[in-house]
Amino acid sequence: MDPPQINFVDNNSILIINRHGLMKQVFVPFKVIVAVNISIFRIGNVVYVDEVSQDRQNRLMYRVAGKWWHYDLFVIAVGF
């Protein structure tokens, strides 16, 4: 079985779906909340994503403070 593919719009935006099934394109920079203590970031810190991409295993990556991080270390702080 092939791994799932993550398709994002481009390096400057992603598509998100809220709990009601509505979809929205979110453009960088967008706010995220740190979900795991990592490097200089602590749980609950609000930081900004400057760029999005994917790694070799097709996992979504965020560029925050000049470094690349896996998306699941953060919670998107965008409501609609």
Side-chain angles (χ1 to χ4, degrees):
M1 178 179 208
D2 292 331
Q5 298 292 313
I6 296 173
N7 295 312
F8 55 92
V9 175
D10 56 35
N11 288 4
N12 296 310
S13 67
I14 60 171
L15 295 174
I16 60 172
I17 301 172
N18 71 9
R19 69 183 93 192
H20 304 293
L22 298 173
M23 189 169 22
K24 180 177 183 177
Q25 185 175 5
V26 178
F27 294 91
V28 297
F30 58 87
K31 288 186 211 180
V32 291
I33 302 168
V34 178
V36 177
N37 289 329
I38 49 173
S39 186
I40 59 172
F41 307 124
R42 296 293 168 246
I43 293 173
N45 289 156
V46 175
V47 295
Y48 287 88
V49 173
D50 300 318
E51 188 176 357
V52 293
S53 190
Q54 59 186 345
D55 66 8
R56 290 184 180 150
Q57 289 79 37
N58 297 314
R59 294 178 294 190
L60 186 61
M61 302 287 290
Y62 293 158
R63 187 168 59 96
V64 176
K67 292 183 75 175
W68 288 100
W69 306 93
H70 286 116
Y71 79 98
D72 57 353
L73 300 174
F74 306 93
V75 175
I76 294 180
V78 175
F80 64 100

